[in-house]
């Protein structure tokens, strides 16, 4: 795969300008010059084969020579709500959810949470999501949503979607909810903080229609539980999609 770059602005027409960190990487790390060929994506699902036409010190003008829709997303939409772990474990969480194809990460504000996510945290995680998409070949970004309380997230489970909340102390095995039957087009999973969910938060989940699920007898870190649930959902969904016989026209 060619080197990939992200355009903050939607690509319209036959010209793309790269500036900021993406231009720096193109011009000073990759040392691209006029005539160099790269791939650009803008989060829309399209990928653009481009040729560098002008290479300045801090910006580059690229010509689009091919535009194509690239579908690398799972067959369902996965939303992950998680109480953020500390430090660099946040970056690992965003990277792995991006690689798995999750559509959205919602940083949670919970009773026992150890991290209070602010604007700077969200901005940093969005930058990490861009880098992760570049690496794994996605043409759509993992959305990093604004932080929300668990009460707000629990109450906003869409009609027709499945909601699973991970809880060490009980609940049916997560896989048992996903085997057999038809998977909904949208699945929401929630992972609490290292201090666990409060009884009030669990009650809110039950009242809003979330299913309490377990991930085994071992204590998992927040990011491990979130990625395990995401992987379970995505791999089962993709496996089912691949096993479906092709429709004949």
């Amino acid at each position: 795969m060619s080197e990939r770059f992200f355009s903050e602005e939607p690509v319209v027409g036959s010209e793309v300008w790269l500036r900021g960190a993406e231009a720096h990487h193109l011009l000073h790390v990759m040392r691209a010059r006029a005539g160099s060929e790269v791939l650009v994506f803008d989060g829309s699902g399209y990928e653009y084969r481009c040729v560098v036409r002008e290479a300045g010190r801090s910006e580059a003008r690229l010509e689009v020579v091919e535009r194509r829709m690239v579908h690398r997303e799972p067959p369902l939409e996965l939303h992950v709500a998680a109480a953020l772990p500390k430090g660099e474990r946040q970056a690992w969480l965003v990277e792995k959810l991006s690689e798995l194809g999750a559509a959205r990460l919602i940083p949670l504000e919970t009773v026992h949470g150890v991290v209070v996510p602010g604007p700077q945290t969200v901005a940093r995680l969005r930058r990490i999501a861009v880098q992760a998409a570049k690496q794994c070949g996605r043409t759509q970004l993992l959305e990093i949503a604004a932080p929300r309380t668990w009460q707000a997230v629990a109450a906003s489970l869409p009609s027709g979607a499945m909601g699973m909340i991970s809880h060490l102390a009980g609940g049916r095995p997560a896989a048992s909810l996903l085997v057999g039957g038809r998977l909904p087009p949208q699945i929401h999973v929630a992972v609490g903080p290292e201090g666990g969910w409060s009884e009030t938060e669990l009650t809110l989940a039950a009242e809003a229609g979330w299913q309490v699920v377990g991930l085994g007898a071992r204590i998992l870190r927040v990011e491990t539980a979130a990625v395990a649930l995401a992987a379970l959902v995505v791999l089962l969904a993709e496996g089912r999609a691949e096993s479906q016989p092709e429709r004949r026209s």
Side-chain angles (χ1 to χ4, degrees):
M1 182 181 294
S2 301
E3 190 73 19
R4 305 175 76 240
F5 295 86
F6 177 66
S7 172
E8 294 280 355
E9 299 295 329
V11 176
V12 179
S14 61
E15 190 173 88
V16 182
W17 283 90
L18 292 183
R19 299 180 174 90
E22 293 296 274
H24 176 82
H25 185 74
L26 173 68
L27 299 169
H28 303 295
V29 178
M30 300 305 299
R31 298 189 179 279
R33 296 291 182 265
S36 298
E37 186 172 301
V38 297
L39 291 178
V40 174
F41 69 105
D42 58 2
S44 66
Y46 283 95
E47 195 168 68
Y48 308 88
R49 187 166 62 88
C50 299
V51 175
V52 177
R53 293 306 183 198
E54 294 181 21
R57 290 187 58 82
S58 60
E59 62 181 15
R61 182 175 67 85
L62 284 62
E63 178 188 358
V64 177
V65 296
E66 182 185 6
R67 176 180 183 266
R68 58 178 181 171
M69 172 61 73
V70 178
H71 185 74
R72 298 190 179 111
E73 299 302 298
L76 54 72
E77 194 173 299
L78 174 63
H79 295 233
V80 179
L84 294 181
K86 294 180 180 178
E88 289 307 309
R89 289 157 53 198
Q90 296 175 11
W92 188 88
L93 172 63
V94 170
E95 288 173 356
K96 303 315 165 192
L97 290 180
S98 294
E99 291 170 17
L100 287 167
R104 192 181 194 207
L105 170 63
I106 307 170
L108 280 181
E109 298 172 0
T110 60
V111 172
H112 301 308
V114 296
V115 173
V116 180
Q120 291 184 337
T121 299
V122 171
R124 184 174 68 88
L125 296 184
R126 286 174 178 165
R127 291 193 297 270
I128 294 169
V130 169
Q131 296 304 313
K134 290 169 62 176
Q135 180 275 323
C136 71
R138 287 184 75 175
T139 53
Q140 297 181 36
L141 297 179
L142 168 68
E143 177 192 350
I144 308 297
R148 301 181 70 191
T149 64
W150 170 242
Q151 181 177 7
V153 172
S156 63
L157 183 66
S159 175
M162 177 188 293
M164 297 190 294
I165 176 172
S166 173
H167 186 43
L168 178 65
R172 59 191 295 186
S176 68
L177 279 178
L178 301 169
V179 297
R182 193 182 194 90
L183 291 176
Q186 197 175 98
I187 292 182
H188 294 237
V189 302
V191 177
E194 293 178 0
W197 299 103
S198 70
E199 289 302 319
T200 299
E201 289 169 331
L202 291 172
T203 299
L204 286 171
E207 292 175 347
W210 292 71
Q211 301 289 321
V212 179
V213 299
L215 291 172
R218 294 156 302 284
I219 298 174
L220 305 181
R221 287 187 179 273
V222 173
E223 67 275 19
T224 307
V227 170
L229 262 177
L232 182 64
V233 169
V234 170
L235 295 178
L236 280 174
E238 290 184 334
R240 285 198 193 182
E242 290 178 2
S243 66
Q244 295 296 321
E246 294 185 5
R247 294 182 179 180
R248 297 182 179 179
S249 57

